[in-house]
Amino acid sequence: MASLKSRIHRYRYWRFLLLPALFMLLSLWPLQRLAERYYTNELLEQNRQTLDLYVANLLGTLRRYEVLPNILGDLPVLRALLDHPQDASAVNQANQLLAQLRERSGSDVIYLMSAEGQTLAASNWEHPDHFIGRNFSFRPYFQQAMTGQRAQFFGLGTTSSKRGYYFGAAIRDAERVIGVLVVKIDLDHTETLWGHTPEQLAVTDSFGVVILTSRPDWRFSATRPLSETEYEQIRLHRPYPTTEPSQLTWSSDTWLIQSRELNQIGWTVRILAPVRQVERSVHTVVAVGGATVLVLLLWLSLLLQRRRHLMERLALDAQARRDLELRVQERTCDLEALNTRLKEEVLEREHAQQELVQAQDELLQAGKLSALGTMSASISHELNQPLAAIRSYADNARVLLDHQRVEDARTNLGSISELTARMASIIAHLKAFARRDPHIPERVALQPALEDSLSLLAARCQSLNLELIREIPEVTLWVQAGETRLRQVLTNVLTNALDALEELPASAPRTLWISTERQRNRVVVCIRDNGPGFTPQSLQRALEPFFTTKAHAEGLGLGLAICDSLIRSLGGILHLANHPEGGACIRISLRCAAPDTDFSDKEPS
Ligand code: ADP
């Protein structure tokens, strides 16, 4: 599924890229056209200047010699020869002069012809192929000069085979033409001037035949079809080495042609620049353009690719976010369900706790009642004893009153009053013991509570003949407790100690230690006896309800369990242990109460 998606993505990506690619490639075509036009114009401009230069040079060369035959024709030496053509010295003088003039003018040959076209004297008289004696009457320049026209002619030298331009002028005696003076200029050098450039030079004459060119293979080729008359003229005047010039065509696909007409002499000068010269530059431009397009395309593709990656990453991020949100939602649902369950459980626990508290309360009450039952013997003993004493004091008082011993009777009545007060105190303690006690800790003085418990057990202590060792400070120790609860705990622990001491043989010394100690913000009451101590099992289980090692009638196994619960409800700790020297050692650790604790809600006694 994911791969199909990514394939679709990639297809879209390439389609997106194809359009600009096509556009960029298409933009290369106008670029090519532009470059073509630019480079063609540049080349044409450059060649136009070259053409102008060349034409100026060519025309300058020709014009320099144009008037020379006219001027030289008046020279007396030449006229003298024309008058006496057979005179050897005249011929010699004329030859000498013409040779000198040629050298000075820089022309190729200067020669003098008779009115019949016979060469009488020539500057090249010393050369083996000199012109003297030769007849050039067939040449147009001779015929033109003879008829009084401007005598100009391009042609190949019939003896020298060198291309030249001939200027002729008639020499007249009055109106009669007596001879013709001809100056031939060498045009070969104008060709060699061109040099080796890609552009080619082609000068065509009035027949359209190439007479000067930088390409030897083009020389003397006709650039247009020749008419029969023109062929005849060529055959007659023999300007070229051949009478039938071959045909030459310049294709516009290969050459860029610029031409200039030289109307005076009927020539056309052309510069032919190879089209491939422009093509090369155009190709370079197109290649650079193509490379730029390619770079642009690559850059574009890179951009697109980066954009695609970004989109993919964003999509992945969005997906991950959605997944996370979904997971969070699921988790929230789970947590809500858990929370509801927990609430239910809390409710259940609270309910159970309430039930437990109620059960503990019931248990406590049961424990108290059981303790009352256990203590009933000593209570009846405690109350019977003062009752018996009261009775005997009352009997005695009656006897004493009978004997008028009023003072003694008053003393007895006083004793009776004291004993009733003591009995009231005992009953008050029992009442307090049996009452249900609110579980709020309050400030209680430790020493009076201890005294109360001991006084409750005083008769038993006496009967056991035990030694009581107290290590209690004078200053009142205030603890966080409940008046009744603390008394109940102390009485219970002391009763257990007495029970343990009772188990000792009658002759064995019995000792009970009661001490207190301060531990930072706590007061610890330590009640130790030298009885048999806890058995390992009772040490482990003594705090369990209904655990007892005593005979059924004596113990219910609730005492320490209730004490532990009471002490814990007061924020204290009940700790059971055996003393290293034998006997049990019970430590009751209670929180200290600040002396300024409010007593307003002190429980009623
Ligand atoms: P009861 O006194 O009814 O047996 P308690 O909970 O008060 O119940 O005591 C549990 C048990 O702990 C006793 O049966 C006894 O075995 C043991 N015990 C308590 N105090 C002492 C002590 N001072 N010396 C030895 N054993 C003790």
Side-chain angles (χ1 to χ4, degrees):
M1 185 66 187
S3 80
L4 182 71
K5 238 185 198 176
S6 80
R7 235 181 297 158
I8 290 168
H9 255 300
R10 219 163 295 154
Y11 166 71
R12 276 193 199 145
Y13 163 70
W14 282 115
R15 199 186 54 179
F16 195 61
L17 203 63
L18 211 66
L19 269 167
L22 215 68
F23 170 74
M24 284 178 176
L25 283 174
L26 281 178
S27 69
L28 285 181
W29 184 74
L31 180 73
Q32 187 190 5
R33 303 289 303 164
L34 255 167
E36 257 174 23
R37 196 173 307 162
Y38 173 77
Y39 283 108
T40 307
N41 285 343
E42 202 181 50
L43 192 68
L44 286 176
E45 176 60 22
Q46 192 183 319
N47 288 347
R48 190 185 60 74
Q49 288 175 11
T50 315
L51 189 64
D52 286 348
L53 261 173
Y54 185 78
V55 167
N57 183 277
L58 188 64
L59 285 176
T61 308
L62 295 177
R63 278 186 194 135
R64 211 166 54 232
Y65 297 100
E66 197 176 2
V67 291
L68 198 59
N70 282 325
I71 299 163
L72 297 181
D74 289 335
L75 287 171
V77 176
L78 301 181
R79 283 187 174 271
L81 179 61
L82 285 172
D83 290 342
H84 302 95
Q86 304 304 325
D87 186 349
S89 78
V91 170
N92 192 35
Q93 273 183 10
N95 280 342
Q96 299 277 353
L97 179 69
L98 288 176
Q100 277 173 15
L101 288 170
R102 186 205 72 83
E103 207 167 314
R104 273 191 220 153
S105 64
S107 57
D108 191 29
V109 193
I110 304 176
Y111 50 102
L112 182 67
M113 294 163 76
S114 67
E116 291 76 35
Q118 195 79 25
T119 307
L120 302 174
S123 61
N124 62 357
W125 61 278
E126 281 176 320
H127 288 250
D129 50 351
H130 60 79
F131 293 172
I132 298 170
R134 300 196 56 168
N135 192 312
F136 294 120
S137 59
F138 66 92
R139 291 292 206 185
Y141 57 84
F142 176 76
Q143 292 159 11
Q144 287 160 357
M146 288 303 287
T147 53
Q149 294 172 36
R150 250 167 56 140
Q152 287 179 1
F153 172 70
F154 166 81
L156 211 60
T158 47
T159 46
S160 65
S161 297
K162 277 172 79 177
R163 278 166 300 169
Y165 199 77
Y166 299 81
F167 288 105
I171 303 171
R172 295 172 190 273
D173 183 12
E175 283 306 305
R176 192 173 61 91
V177 177
I178 53 171
V180 173
L181 186 75
V182 180
V183 177
K184 182 191 172 190
I185 308 156
D186 176 19
L187 287 179
D188 281 2
H189 79 280
T190 55
E191 210 176 55
T192 49
L193 272 177
W194 192 254
H196 298 287
T197 57
E199 293 87 10
Q200 303 299 331
L201 170 76
V203 183
T204 54
D205 61 6
S206 52
F207 294 121
V209 175
V210 180
I211 51 173
L212 294 170
T213 177
S214 53
R215 284 273 298 263
D217 53 321
W218 290 351
R219 208 171 286 150
F220 304 119
S221 303
T223 56
R224 62 174 173 80
L226 295 170
S227 65
E228 201 43 52
T229 332
E230 283 172 329
Y231 274 121
E232 256 175 45
Q233 278 185 359
I234 290 167
R235 275 196 290 273
L236 188 68
H237 302 145
R238 284 179 271 166
Y240 320 121
T242 170
T243 51
E244 290 206 358
S246 57
Q247 277 295 317
L248 174 71
T249 40
W250 291 309
S251 159
S252 60
D253 292 343
T254 324
W255 301 101
L256 265 176
I257 304 170
Q258 278 171 285
S259 60
R260 184 68 45 84
E261 305 283 340
L262 308 182
N263 293 326
Q264 281 180 346
I265 51 175
W267 287 6
T268 306
V269 182
R270 289 186 181 82
I271 287 187
L272 296 97
V275 170
R276 68 167 189 283
Q277 212 176 337
V278 173
E279 279 173 352
R280 205 175 303 143
S281 303
V282 171
H283 286 166
T284 313
V285 167
V286 171
V288 170
T292 313
V293 165
L294 207 71
V295 167
L296 277 174
L297 273 176
L298 280 174
W299 179 69
L300 198 71
S301 81
L302 210 75
L303 271 184
L304 283 175
Q305 209 165 8
R306 281 182 66 179
R307 186 175 163 277
R308 189 163 62 89
H309 284 162
L310 190 75
M311 297 300 279
E312 278 174 8
R313 212 171 53 228
L314 285 176
L316 278 176
D317 283 357
Q319 183 62 40
R321 224 173 15 249
R322 275 199 298 278
D323 287 355
L324 191 70
E325 274 168 15
L326 212 70
R327 273 215 305 281
V328 166
Q329 255 173 23
E330 282 171 10
R331 196 97 183 95
T332 311
C333 280
D334 288 356
L335 281 172
E336 273 171 2
L338 198 71
N339 201 22
T340 321
R341 232 173 31 244
L342 274 173
K343 272 182 188 163
E344 283 169 12
E345 268 179 34
V346 166
L347 275 173
E348 274 173 26
R349 296 246 163 123
E350 275 175 358
H351 191 63
Q353 180 78 16
Q354 275 171 7
E355 281 179 355
L356 186 70
V357 168
Q358 210 175 340
Q360 273 179 344
D361 213 27
E362 297 297 328
L363 195 65
L364 201 67
Q365 202 56 22
K368 281 180 188 174
L369 294 175
S370 135
L372 270 178
T374 319
M375 286 191 291
S376 59
S378 58
I379 292 165
S380 59
H381 175 76
E382 285 288 327
L383 292 178
N384 278 340
Q385 211 183 15
L387 269 177
I390 286 168
R391 194 183 303 131
S392 87
Y393 277 128
D395 290 346
N396 283 349
R398 206 167 33 232
V399 172
L400 286 170
L401 283 174
D402 288 345
H403 289 91
Q404 299 298 318
R405 288 171 60 187
V406 177
E407 273 312 307
D408 291 335
R410 185 176 285 125
T411 311
N412 274 15
L413 285 172
S415 297
I416 288 168
S417 177
E418 275 176 28
L419 283 167
T420 49
R422 179 171 156 70
M423 283 174 73
S425 158
I426 291 167
I427 289 161
H429 276 104
L430 287 173
K431 211 171 108 192
F433 184 75
R435 195 178 60 226
R436 278 181 193 266
D437 192 10
H439 286 190
I440 309 148
E442 59 195 21
R443 195 166 75 123
V444 177
L446 180 68
Q447 285 94 331
L450 205 56
E451 286 308 321
D452 280 354
S453 296
L454 280 170
S455 66
L456 206 64
L457 301 169
R460 249 192 110 192
C461 290
Q462 223 171 357
S463 70
L464 284 171
N465 193 26
L466 57 85
E467 184 190 2
L468 181 64
I469 301 174
R470 297 164 182 240
E471 287 172 16
I472 300 164
E474 286 295 313
V475 62
T476 311
L477 295 168
W478 294 99
V479 292
Q480 288 182 25
E483 289 276 4
T484 319
R485 281 173 282 170
L486 182 61
R487 279 171 177 75
Q488 185 180 346
V489 170
L490 291 171
T491 309
N492 209 314
V493 172
L494 285 169
T495 307
N496 278 349
L498 297 184
D499 287 348
L501 289 172
E502 211 170 351
E503 284 180 35
L504 292 175
S507 56
R510 298 181 172 98
T511 316
L512 183 68
W513 289 269
I514 302 174
S515 61
T516 58
E517 58 184 77
R518 284 291 300 260
Q519 282 181 355
R520 279 191 294 173
N521 59 343
R522 283 183 174 269
V523 173
V524 181
V525 184
C526 187
I527 298 169
R528 176 189 160 199
D529 61 72
N530 67 338
F534 290 98
T535 61
Q537 195 201 15
S538 63
L539 194 60
Q540 216 174 7
R541 298 185 53 197
L543 296 180
E544 288 176 19
F546 303 108
F547 175 81
T548 179
T549 54
K550 294 168 193 169
H552 281 295
E554 290 173 40
L556 279 176
L558 283 172
L560 286 180
I562 292 167
C563 288
D564 183 48
S565 163
L566 284 175
I567 292 293
R568 270 196 282 122
S569 75
L570 293 170
I573 303 160
L574 179 70
H575 181 254
L576 310 180
N578 281 327
H579 196 271
E581 288 170 22
C585 179
I586 288 106
R587 293 164 70 86
I588 305 158
S589 167
L590 291 164
R591 285 197 196 122
C592 286
D596 55 350
T597 308
D598 188 13
F599 279 92
S600 57
D601 58 343
K602 196 176 166 188
E603 63 187 87
S605 49

